[in-house]
Amino acid sequence: MISSSHQQLQQQQFSPPPSPSPHPPSIASVAPPSPPPGRLESNTNVIPLRKSEVWAWYIQNATYCSYGWVSAVLMVPVLIQDLAARNGVETSDHSKACDTSVADYKCVMPVFGPHYLDPGTVALYISSFSALVSFVISLSISPIADYGSYKKTFLWVFAILGCIISVAFFIIQVPSVIWLTVILAPLGWSCYNVSSVFSNAFLPIYARVHPRILATAERLALEDHRISVEKGGDVPSHNNNNLAIMRKAEEQITNDLAAWCAGAANVGSMVVQLICIGISLAMNDSYLSLQIAIAFTGVWWLLWTLAVMPWLDARPGPPLPKGQNWIAFSWKKNFKTFKSMRKLPQITRFVFAWFILSDGVNTVTALLYVITYQELKFSHTKSLVMTIAISAGAFVGAYLFMWIRKLWTLSTKFMVMLTLGLYALLTAYFVIPLYFTTQFGLKHEWEAWCAIVYLGLIISTFFGTCKVMMAELCPAGDENEWFSLFQLADKGSSWIGPFVTGAIQSVTGDFRIGFWFPLALMAAGGAVLLMVDMEKGKDEAIRYKQEEEEEEACFRASIPPITVTQARDSTYSHNRQDLLIL
């Protein structure tokens, strides 16, 4: 018999407190759950974007892009081609070692026994492998950046790693260790791409907290409230028009931020390219000058990243659940993202289009660099001047197309389709004239320079507006998760183009025939992109986040209260009510 003293218990109920929202609500989804759907509300708890913060972001973009655009895209492939040629044999006589001192040398590198590859093809294959490695690494770590301050932390961590890898190219002193480039090139490419994911994720966040957006949201919310009061609490009939105004304002601000960011990246790249040209000229285009220039871009990246970190606000997300393995957690998040694509068909369609298009446009640039170096015999210095021409054109093109967009109030999707069409025209010029004449189709140096300037004018706007489309369609608070998928679609496909075009060159002996492949990708990707409905996609993102919040609220409500029970004495009770229940 249990005494009554044993049954006198004290109980205290505990309920978990609601966690604050780590991100400001999307401007396009300014309707909170309590008012009628679509109702505009101002948010006075958001810290507006500061000039020092956005300029720190611009500079950080300029530094990592300098490494990516100068070293990862150009100088590392050129170094690989040099090593492959010095490690190769004459094309006409495989018994003779390649003499790279001859002006128009033609050499191939033996691989896997009796097989031989052109040095340009070797560079394309290693670029393909680099993209594949980057794909896996991005999947394994990028989703973590949605939590805490990891976005900011990973920016300087990967800047340190990128600097170490760029300096490590000094290890390669003899052609026989070309296999080291198969390790260093993918790791450097991965550091650049992962940094791109973390940096791009700031774009939609900054757009939502831009002072002009917050001011517009407050003005429309007050107008909405005033008319609602006048109508006795009914939702104003003009509410949908207000929502459209907010979406258009956010679209324009996001495009402006992307354009300024691209401009800063181009200026930073041109400064680095000029310094690298000075190094190349001072050392007579030597192999060592390539290594020094590559190392310099890595050191530049690190120093400027560390310099701006104090001004870059982390805009932290929710805390990462304790006890989680980063890699396992990232793959779980990726699986969740893939599952959520069923509820977000428009952004899914865009990501699929981007998967196709990014491979096409990146392959055009890769082939252009290989042809100018291998067949038109550009020197190291000329190759660097070529990148300066592209960056200068990109700087002008970014603001030229921004002016055109503002003049006619063009949508982001229209700008993507416009620049894609211009890309397709250039690619068609590289391949179609080959069937009618031997005088045109990237046969002369002047054609290469014209193509480079043309490419520069459109490249920045194309990539910038694609990022803006992603920023407009992704659900608020999940920026890193979706920009990781955006980068994943880019790098997940970018190994295909170099691999296929390298194989085409091995079969046909002509790099230019390979341009048919990116041209076909542009046609297919453009067709998919035309089917993306931006307004419908924004509505899907709002609805998805509302459903996610409702599911989380239901889950919290389903958790029973935690009861702490204390017994007044320590006498054993057979029904265990004297134990502390946690």
Side-chain angles (χ1 to χ4, degrees):
M1 187 75 175
I2 302 174
S3 65
S4 60
S5 63
H6 292 167
Q7 296 176 351
Q8 294 177 352
L9 305 172
Q10 295 177 338
Q11 295 183 342
Q12 183 177 8
Q13 302 290 332
F14 292 94
S15 297
S19 57
S21 176
H23 293 280
S26 173
I27 298 303
S29 59
V30 287
S34 52
R39 178 86 171 258
L40 291 170
E41 296 284 337
S42 63
N43 194 329
T44 58
N45 298 322
V46 175
I47 300 174
L49 182 65
R50 298 179 296 272
K51 285 185 179 180
S52 59
E53 182 181 3
V54 75
W55 275 102
W57 181 58
Y58 290 157
I59 294 171
Q60 188 276 326
N61 265 270
T63 57
Y64 87 83
C65 285
S66 297
Y67 173 83
W69 298 355
V70 181
S71 284
V73 172
L74 174 64
M75 289 194 294
V76 170
V78 167
L79 181 141
I80 292 170
Q81 291 175 71
D82 277 0
L83 287 171
R86 291 163 58 194
N87 202 43
V89 295
E90 298 285 348
T91 303
S92 57
D93 187 353
H94 292 172
S95 64
K96 293 182 180 179
C98 179
D99 184 3
T100 56
S101 63
V102 178
D104 294 321
Y105 69 86
K106 293 288 184 181
C107 299
V108 289
M109 177 182 167
V111 292
F112 306 119
H115 303 287
Y116 296 87
L117 292 177
D118 184 278
T121 304
V122 173
L124 287 172
Y125 282 159
I126 292 180
S127 294
S128 176
F129 179 67
S130 298
L132 201 58
V133 172
S134 175
F135 169 83
V136 176
I137 292 177
S138 294
L139 269 179
S140 301
I141 197 167
S142 295
I144 294 295
D146 275 328
Y147 296 87
S149 300
Y150 288 115
K151 279 194 298 293
K152 179 178 177 179
T153 302
F154 283 153
L155 284 177
W156 62 261
V157 167
F158 279 93
I160 294 173
L161 294 175
C163 179
I164 293 171
I165 291 164
S166 64
V167 173
F169 276 94
F170 281 117
I171 298 172
I172 307 172
Q173 293 297 324
V174 292
S176 59
V177 293
I178 188 176
W179 58 269
L180 283 173
T181 62
V182 182
I183 299 173
L184 296 178
L187 291 178
W189 190 245
S190 298
C191 289
Y192 161 65
N193 284 313
V194 172
S195 295
S196 180
V197 172
F198 300 146
S199 186
N200 288 338
F202 280 96
L203 176 60
I205 297 173
Y206 283 174
R208 289 198 294 272
V209 297
H210 194 282
R212 281 165 54 189
I213 292 296
L214 296 178
T216 304
E218 185 174 4
R219 176 176 58 81
L220 293 177
L222 290 173
E223 180 185 349
D224 195 351
H225 177 71
R226 178 180 60 79
I227 298 177
S228 176
V229 170
E230 291 176 357
K231 293 190 174 185
D234 294 333
V235 178
S237 58
H238 72 289
N239 181 68
N240 290 337
N241 183 51
N242 280 358
L243 194 59
I245 292 172
M246 286 306 309
R247 285 181 172 176
K248 193 63 179 178
E250 186 177 2
E251 179 182 4
Q252 295 299 318
I253 288 296
T254 308
N255 274 283
D256 288 349
L257 287 172
W260 280 98
C261 185
N266 287 314
V267 170
S269 295
M270 283 190 285
V271 171
V272 171
Q273 288 155 1
L274 286 171
I275 296 172
C276 290
I277 286 174
I279 295 172
S280 182
L281 288 173
M283 302 184 69
N284 298 317
D285 279 347
S286 66
Y287 173 77
L288 180 60
S289 70
L290 272 178
Q291 292 177 306
I292 293 174
I294 291 170
F296 168 75
T297 60
V299 173
W300 176 275
W301 176 13
L302 175 60
L303 292 180
W304 278 105
T305 298
L306 295 179
V308 301
M309 281 296 108
W311 289 273
L312 189 67
D313 194 328
R315 300 275 174 179
L320 184 70
K322 292 184 178 180
Q324 291 287 345
N325 177 280
W326 282 9
I327 295 177
F329 185 78
S330 293
W331 282 92
K332 289 178 184 177
K333 286 279 289 181
N334 290 323
F335 180 70
K336 173 181 171 290
T337 302
F338 283 117
K339 283 180 63 179
S340 68
M341 294 174 83
R342 293 178 301 171
K343 299 180 180 180
L344 299 163
Q346 299 305 316
I347 193 173
T348 301
R349 199 168 291 158
F350 169 71
V351 170
F352 180 61
W354 176 243
F355 178 86
I356 300 170
L357 291 173
S358 62
D359 189 29
V361 298
N362 287 326
T363 301
V364 170
T365 308
L367 275 177
L368 180 60
Y369 285 154
V370 168
I371 290 172
T372 54
Y373 191 71
Q374 285 294 313
E375 299 194 8
L376 299 182
K377 299 303 177 182
F378 275 32
S379 64
H380 297 167
T381 302
K382 270 190 180 179
S383 297
L384 286 166
V385 172
M386 180 172 67
T387 63
I388 286 185
I390 290 178
S391 296
F395 181 82
V396 174
Y399 295 105
L400 173 64
F401 281 103
M402 182 171 66
W403 176 77
I404 292 172
R405 173 179 55 80
K406 288 184 173 182
L407 182 63
W408 284 290
T409 321
L410 302 174
S411 68
T412 305
K413 180 179 174 181
F414 181 87
M415 296 303 295
V416 174
M417 295 303 300
L418 173 62
T419 49
L420 177 61
L422 295 173
Y423 248 116
L425 285 175
L426 178 65
T427 310
Y429 174 78
F430 288 155
V431 68
I432 293 177
L434 300 178
Y435 299 92
F436 302 98
T437 179
T438 58
Q439 297 302 313
F440 300 102
L442 206 56
K443 295 286 188 177
H444 306 284
E445 187 173 325
W446 66 266
E447 290 179 285
W449 288 114
C450 290
I452 287 161
V453 172
Y454 180 99
L455 179 65
L457 289 172
I458 60 176
I459 190 170
S460 185
T461 300
F462 175 76
F463 281 97
T465 49
C466 283
K467 284 195 291 186
V468 172
M469 278 192 73
M470 188 68 189
E472 292 178 12
L473 292 171
C474 74
D478 296 336
E479 290 82 12
N480 260 94
E481 188 175 330
W482 283 95
F483 267 100
S484 175
L485 185 62
F486 177 78
Q487 200 75 8
L488 165 67
D490 181 3
K491 304 312 167 190
S493 66
S494 60
W495 66 272
I496 301 172
F499 182 83
V500 172
T501 52
I504 290 172
Q505 191 280 333
S506 296
V507 173
T508 65
D510 191 347
F511 284 109
R512 293 169 184 82
I513 301 298
F515 281 113
W516 277 116
F517 183 70
L519 187 60
L521 291 177
M522 290 177 196
V528 176
L529 193 62
L530 282 172
M531 296 187 289
V532 177
D533 187 325
M534 293 297 293
E535 294 304 313
K536 193 173 181 180
K538 293 171 185 178
D539 290 336
E540 289 171 353
I542 296 170
R543 188 163 55 249
Y544 171 78
K545 289 303 294 184
Q546 288 176 343
E547 290 175 359
E548 193 177 60
E549 290 169 359
E550 289 170 3
E551 288 176 3
E552 184 177 353
C554 290
F555 175 74
R556 287 180 177 277
S558 67
I559 300 175
I562 301 173
T563 303
V564 178
T565 306
Q566 295 177 333
R568 294 200 173 188
D569 57 40
S570 59
T571 305
Y572 176 75
S573 171
H574 75 278
N575 63 5
R576 313 285 294 178
Q577 287 184 337
D578 55 342
L579 298 181
L580 182 67
I581 303 173
L582 297 178

